Amino acid sequence: MSTGNPELFVVCKSCGSEVSPYITECPYCGSRLRKRAPKIDRDGRVTERRRRRPAPVLPRLRRGEIPGIRAESRPYATMVLVLVGLVGCLLWRTSAVRIDQIGVFGEKPGAHWWRLITSGFVYNNTGYAFITLGAIAIFGWLLERRHGPLPVIALYAVGAVGGTAAAAAVYSIPFALGANGGAIALIVAWAMPDVLALRRGIEIDGDLLGALAIGIAVALMPLVVPTSAWVADLVGLLGGVAIGLPLALTEPQ
């Protein structure tokens, strides 16, 4: 037979007879040749149904599988920060606690030092909470993918807790709710590698303009929300540079 011509016969495996390729049973011994009659294409050739192979799926990158590339993991630290912020946004609105019991709200924390920590998770303005927690979720997740949870926690602590402590020390009647300082610290730390790359004349893939827009929106919160402290913005900016610069310098080029 020449290539491309239809099959002239098939051989029965039971009796060895040459039979037509278009029948399902051998006429000589009655053996089953195929389950159903074959399909015929336009050229009169027998076509067989081909099984589709599943598309290859890459497994999750395991720790140490590729040197220099961090294993994929869920941003648990960022998820916890955002979730606790949502709880703090709603908790003081219940009868369980008052806002001045968990936040730096009109008086210095004094012996209640733990308010410096909890105050960063308390929001008395929905728009303020949405913008700040959204920035923490985006840039905390991006940073956690690069460096893991510890730098994210450190940046948040420096910006949010440090910013609240600075506001309590600077103002005689301090109001410092929310984590605008923590959000700015995360944004600045994320942007540091791209800023350094631009200084070297290297083309970047990150959206610095988008990060700048979000950073400006967070930084200007004290204009519309009096409980958001300006000094917390400054502490977050300095903390983001102090922690983000060494992290950026350790990244592979």
Side-chain angles (χ1 to χ4, degrees), residues 7 11 21 30 41 48 67 95 126 134 137 155 160 167 189 200-201 217 221 223-224 229 231 245:
E7 287 186 81
V11 178
D41 61 13
E48 298 289 344
S95 57
T126 303
L155 286 162
R200 300 189 188 105
M221 280 293 107
L223 286 177
V224 293
V231 68
L245 183 59

Side-chain angles (χ1 to χ4, degrees), residues 10-14 19-40 46 48:
V10 294
V11 178
C12 176
K13 294 181 180 180
S14 297
V19 298
S20 171
Y22 307 113
I23 60 177
T24 57
E25 293 182 358
C26 177
Y28 302 104
C29 65
S31 298
R32 191 77 169 176
L33 298 177
R34 61 178 71 238
K35 292 182 179 180
R36 62 187 65 183
K39 293 183 178 180
I40 309 300
V46 177
E48 298 289 344

Side-chain angles (χ1 to χ4, degrees), residues 120-145:
F121 299 103
V122 180
Y123 299 88
N124 66 333
N125 183 283
T126 303
Y128 176 31
F130 178 79
I131 294 175
T132 305
L133 292 178
I136 292 172
I138 295 172
F139 295 97
W141 170 63
L142 293 173
L143 277 172
E144 196 164 350
R145 287 184 61 189

